[in-house]
Amino acid sequence: MAAGVQSNPFASSRKSGNRLKNNLFTGLVWTVGICTIIFIIGLLFLILEKGMPKLSIDFLLGLPDEIMEGGGIGPALFNSFYVLIISLVISVPLGMAAGIYLSEFAPDNKFIGFLRVCVEGLASVPSIIFGLFGIVLFVEAFDVGLTIIGGAVSLAFLNLPVLTRVTEEAIRAVPQEMKHASFALGGTHLQTIRRVLIPVALNGIITGICLVAGRAFGESAVIILTAGVTTSGVMWDFNLLSPGETLAVHLWYVQSEAIVPDAVEIAEKSAAVLVFIVLMINLLFRIPLWLNARKTR
Amino acid sequence: MQAPTQTQALIEIDKLNLYYGTFHALKNVSMEIPEKAITAFIGPSGCGKSTLLRTLNRMNDMIAGTRIEGKIAIGGADIYSKEVDVETLRKKVGMVFQQPNPFPKSIYDNVAYGPRLHGITGRKQLDEIVETSLRSAALWEEVKDYLKRSALSLSGGQQQRLCIARALAVEPDVLLMDEATSALDPISTLKIEELAQELKDRYTIVMVTHNMHQAARVSNQTVFFLNGEVVEYAETEKLFSTPRDQRTEDYISGRFG
Amino acid sequence: MQAPTQTQALIEIDKLNLYYGTFHALKNVSMEIPEKAITAFIGPSGCGKSTLLRTLNRMNDMIAGTRIEGKIAIGGADIYSKEVDVETLRKKVGMVFQQPNPFPKSIYDNVAYGPRLHGITGRKQLDEIVETSLRSAALWEEVKDYLKRSALSLSGGQQQRLCIARALAVEPDVLLMDEATSALDPISTLKIEELAQELKDRYTIVMVTHNMHQAARVSNQTVFFLNGEVVEYAETEKLFSTPRDQRTEDYISGRFG
Amino acid sequence: VPVASAAASKLSGKIVVNGSSALLPLTLQAAKEFKKANPKVKISASAAGSVTGPQSVRKGIADIGAVDWDASTDVPGFKKFEGQVAHKVAVIPFAAVVNKGVGVDNLTTQQLQDIFSGKVKNWKEVGGSDASIVVVNRAFGSGTRVNFQMKALDGTDFMSKGDNYKEVKSSGDMKTAVETTPNAIGYIDLVYVTSKMKALKINDVAPTEANVINGKYKVWGYGYYMTKGQPTGATKAFIEYIQSKEFQNGSLKKLKFIPISAMK
Amino acid sequence: MSAPASAAAKELGTSLKTNSGSTFGRRARLAFYNRTFKTICVVCAVFVCIILFSILFLMGRTGILTFQYVSPLEFFFSTEWVPENEQYGAFVFIFGTFALTALTMLIAMPLSILIAVFLAEVTPPWLRAMLRPVLDLLVGIPSVVYGFLGMTLLIPLLRDVTGTTMGDGLLAAAIVLTIMVLPTISRISDDAITAVPKKYRDASYALGGNRFQTTFKVVLPAARSGIMYAGILGMARAIGETMAVVMVIGNTPQLANSLLKPTSVLTSNIVMQIANVPFDSTWNYALYLMGFLLLVISLLMIVLIRFMQRKGVQR
Ligand SMILES: Nc1ncnc2c1ncn2[C@@H]1O[C@H](COP(=O)(O)OP(=O)(O)OP(=O)(O)O)[C@@H](O)[C@H]1O
Ligand SMILES: Nc1ncnc2c1ncn2[C@@H]1O[C@H](COP(=O)(O)OP(=O)(O)OP(=O)(O)O)[C@@H](O)[C@H]1O
Ligand SMILES: [Mg+2]
Ligand SMILES: [Mg+2]
Ligand SMILES: O=P([O-])([O-])[O-]
């Protein structure tokens, strides 16, 4: 037994500014974290509280009305999903493939570096410019007018750069050893990407898709210019060449121009629906991750 | 089951039980680890050597779901008591890991990291610490011209020696080594072993090793684990020459060389 | 400097030079690696053992800036020629790495990964392969009830054995082991060594090791490297008993135990 | 000459309407009713701003350009669009509005000119309490702005900068801004005036539908549909529908626009 | 020099060659897939580039026409933007864009990093699992809603707190933008921090480092590239955001010498005016040029950040 030391030698010996800093830091992080949580909850409450209780099936599936109270958002809601799905179907494979190219195949030279910067730059182009681009492409060049497909493709273009870079980063973050293990077993590059890199990078990629899907769902400027502010006026219209007002656009319209007496209420309800659906999308995309995590437990 | 130690016990472990969730990883472990000597933990893979080692500097604290019962005292002080400052404990009880884990920084910054944490900022003083530590870890000659290079550019063996240098740089009282030489070539291993011999005059060293020869060659006292239990615990010579337990004998006779 | 091999040469390395950018890592290396035997590479840390090993399954291809001169033929086929399919080469020439690198998948999926790559999908067949491979790697008993658990939850030693099982699962002709046992305890090491002895009747094995006893105990032929050059290259017994080169002698006399 | 009703149901085609956002509710309602009678006609509408209407028509990417002024003539800031035909579709009254807290009820044309040009900066100069005036303006190119400038300010210029001056993008934003900003003044379609703001009398004339019709209140304009030359087919039928008595006295009134027939 | 190879060895040798062996069909197929996949990836990357360059071309082509009527000197350095009088000075907007972006990043970066640290290092797992999707949710709230809340809640609040008459301006816009980019930056940083290998943390803790030291000296530097990238993406979003900014910044073409003065930035000016000017007017060209400029500015900022990052790594 060592000499009868009374005081504990490991009790914080140094007067320790470090310790103070650590406590301050931990406190700060917790404060910021809690404030963020409160803020988000407050914001959600603010948006959902007014709209959610008044929601009804009639509102969700009904047709909008310009004169009478009680109009619904059916076609716009439907278009929102339709446009979102089409745009994801286009942008996710394209963006992922481009991201995989940048992380796995691209030579490490100046030109690719330049390209990478360009892709990031593209992410900063305001959506209205994608809207103008969409007009040039669909309304002027292809002359299809204001359509769902035009809106969806323009939206896909808008999301492409983010998806590309997120995929690239996520795949880059996969440890080299895993890649080597797969190659050493005789895996082709494609197999390695498909079976190791993408599954391991999935978390990051899904985060990217969630970000993009949320943004697409709430985007209005692009849709106003390329898909218009009208719907075909009937439910379940799958025609790609129909005009494609989405819920976010409808919200914008109701907020800025509509004359109906219950415009404010419609806006509140639409905002609540939008936010609620984005929350659902986020959860939905996470299910595969969650299952994956459970499977390897 | 008390080991007759010549020196005084620095670390006393008393009826230690450790659970990872529901998994009982250490079962009723009691032992004394003598001061200024080398104690080796041996035993098959998964028997809990690393786990016990990590309890000594409370690195297990960070694994969620870990539960500890029993007592560990270093120099008479219960290291799991409330008044213990974990950072000070870990400064006093250094550790080298099984896998080399240098920071993605320069070689210099890796070694200087610990001293800087503890408030040493003088360039000269740091330079000195870095050189001494790297020399102690038998790495100085190889890297002295490349101190600004990334530590990740070193080979596996060099990286592990760097980690040892890094641990030495904070001048710990106790040094825990978790198979620290398993990634080293014989020459470097030999150097580290010699170093350990040297250091034990000043430090208390606890090493986990798979290499029974290393244990036999280097340590003063050896502890043999099986499935989270201490099977035998004795002076090294005694344990290897006349094991009391059949399981110990079986295990060490599986040796070779 | 020709090694008198009893068996026939499977791998012929001829005037191999390898550069990492401007760093000359392998210098004019020539040797023959016999079929169905174990060849050990020894040498101090950083001498190029791993590098040479990786040229044998062309894993160096993936390191940008690597340049190779000279020729390596396996079974008479130049593995750097255009007509060689790298994936097939790597299937036939399996590899176990210095650091355990299991995928973040279940234990089962880790072992089944290779067979699946090569088109085996039958559940029964896979089950069989997984069991055989895990048994071969002396891991089956420990994990058979947890096949669905994440491989990352295993201890270091267990992880490395899993990686060996994974490599065996694609039934390679040649097995490259880069200090594959350095993270294992003696019992597992012994098992792996025994396994290697068994496997050499069917496979050609090349192992890098820091443990000279392992080389002496297990291998038929030993190659000693220094600074990217082959210093000596002979039957294991001969090399350890009567080294021709002074440097070899210096190195192996640094051994212990 | 085909019989109107019989021909109408057989009509088919695509109509794209672009332009003024103020006319959008009208267009949407008319489109809805028109489509009911003519299911084979597709109508899509977008609204980015008045001038986009005739411009899109000229480019050929819209069949109808909705605009708050007669784009076949010159107006302040915009040249006339050659070869386009203007069709009146509605009468739109505009009102100068202030925040509820402003104590002023009436302004003369001169006072309006001074306030919107930035010459008068404090409410007390026009009979209110002592507080800085916050001027909220619509962006250049807004039909509302063009009309207000022509009819209420007699064509004088707006201010374009200042510490208490801002521009908003749409009628909805104007409404929100005036409602929530103390001491704010702006202008808006009469339709959007809510109980949370106050519509000012101009030269002692209240902005009411009756005063517009009887000619006392001058600040109003026609809403127009522009077409390239004379319209044909579905476009023609749609414009005819929107000008029909049935629509003008029905839905259009309900939307609080004034029928064109009401004006002499 | 070599002994004759055994039959088995020869077999192995031949089997290594392509076009041999029983699995030839499968191998060829795999090789084909592999090649095809690579080609697809290349095509996609090229496609992304084509879009990028078409947009650059679209804006550049129209924008460049501005200089037929306006001297570059006036465009870049004059503060007079009165298109009705043929005055096309864009300095106010350029300055505003830089100022707004800088201000936003100044608030958003530290906050996001703290949130990311909170998520990745501090929170218990259950809270983390809940918070991540909720943070992502903030991205999905439509810009118009943010703008509306900014107009109806934030600006009155700013008015009350600071005592200004209006409240519109850079500060309001920066706060709204901060909220909008917060999830982007903090979630991607969170992923980057989570990806830092545990062994680095272990090493630091074992040396006696506390959480503060470990986070700042090891974890954040190791995650630097990811955080940097998160910042770039967030900045890009901040530069390009329009619908919300336009509702709170005031849209007055005057130099913002105070955080609370109505002003205008490139995006808000574009979105306010582009729909309302004649297609073939100098005004329209100038707006396109501003769009082009916006892209160039963000490219420059990105290059700058990358440059600084590279310098950081060399150390
Ligand atoms: N974080 C953890 N959670 C759950 N179980 C764990 C954890 N870490 C280790 N274990 C389990 O505890 C047991 C002891 O692990 P430990 O790492 O101490 O073994 P070891 O003796 O060091 O083995 P090796 O020689 O392979 O390093 C093993 O069965 C291991 O699977
Ligand atoms: N990717 C690389 N780029 C540049 N140099 C490298 C690279 N990999 C290894 N080297 C260098 O090449 C030399 C040989 O490395 P190698 O990994 O083959 O050594 P080794 O003999 O396996 O050492 P150890 O026993 O420590 O694993 C070393 O000096 C190393 O620093
Ligand atoms: Mg261990
Ligand atoms: Mg090596
Ligand atoms: O109808 P506006 O042109 O003013 O939107």
Side-chain angles (χ1 to χ4, degrees), chain B residues 109-141:
Chain B
D109 287 342
N110 261 279
V111 182
Y113 182 84
R116 280 184 179 142
L117 283 188
H118 300 103
I120 298 175
T121 48
R123 184 77 199 175
K124 254 219 180 108
Q125 210 180 345
L126 282 177
D127 284 355
E128 210 168 279
I129 293 177
V130 169
E131 179 170 344
T132 326
S133 311
L134 284 172
R135 272 191 203 284
S136 304
L139 192 62
W140 176 251
E141 290 304 322

Side-chain angles (χ1 to χ4, degrees), chain D residues 10 174-175:
Chain D
K10 278 188 205 126
M174 173 65 86
K175 192 174 80 181

Side-chain angles (χ1 to χ4, degrees), chain B residues 155-157 183, chain C residues 44-51 53-54 98 178-179 208 210:
Chain B
S155 81
Chain C
S45 185
C47 66
K49 307 180 294 293
S50 301
T51 303
L53 205 71
R54 283 196 302 260
Q98 197 161 358
D178 191 344
E179 296 176 40
V208 171
H210 275 135

Side-chain angles (χ1 to χ4, degrees), chain B residues 42 212 224 239-240 243 245-257, chain C residues 186-187 190:
Chain B
I42 60 170
M212 252 162 309
F224 174 56
L239 187 130
F240 280 97
D245 198 293
Q246 183 57 38
R247 290 168 297 176
T248 317
E249 174 143 19
D250 288 352
Y251 183 74
I252 57 177
S253 66
R255 75 179 173 185
F256 34 81
Chain C
I187 290 181
L190 202 61

Side-chain angles (χ1 to χ4, degrees), chain B residues 50 98 178-179:
Chain B
S50 301
Q98 196 161 1
D178 191 348
E179 297 176 41

Side-chain angles (χ1 to χ4, degrees), chain C residues 2 8-10 12 32 35-36 74-75 77 79 83-85 88-89 92 116-119 173-174, chain E residues 1-19 26-27 30-31 34:
Chain C
Q2 176 148 1
Q8 289 165 307
L10 178 71
E12 291 155 286
E32 289 180 4
E35 197 179 354
K36 300 193 176 154
I74 298 185
I79 62 168
E83 24 171 44
V84 162
D85 181 55
T88 314
L89 171 69
K92 294 280 163 77
R116 280 183 179 142
L117 283 188
H118 300 104
D173 288 326
V174 180
Chain E
M1 88 180 196
S2 67
S6 74
K10 274 185 191 148
E11 200 187 301
L12 170 59
T14 35
S15 79
L16 287 180
K17 305 203 171 133
T18 30
N19 312 344
R26 182 182 152 76
R27 243 199 285 156
L30 283 181
N34 202 31

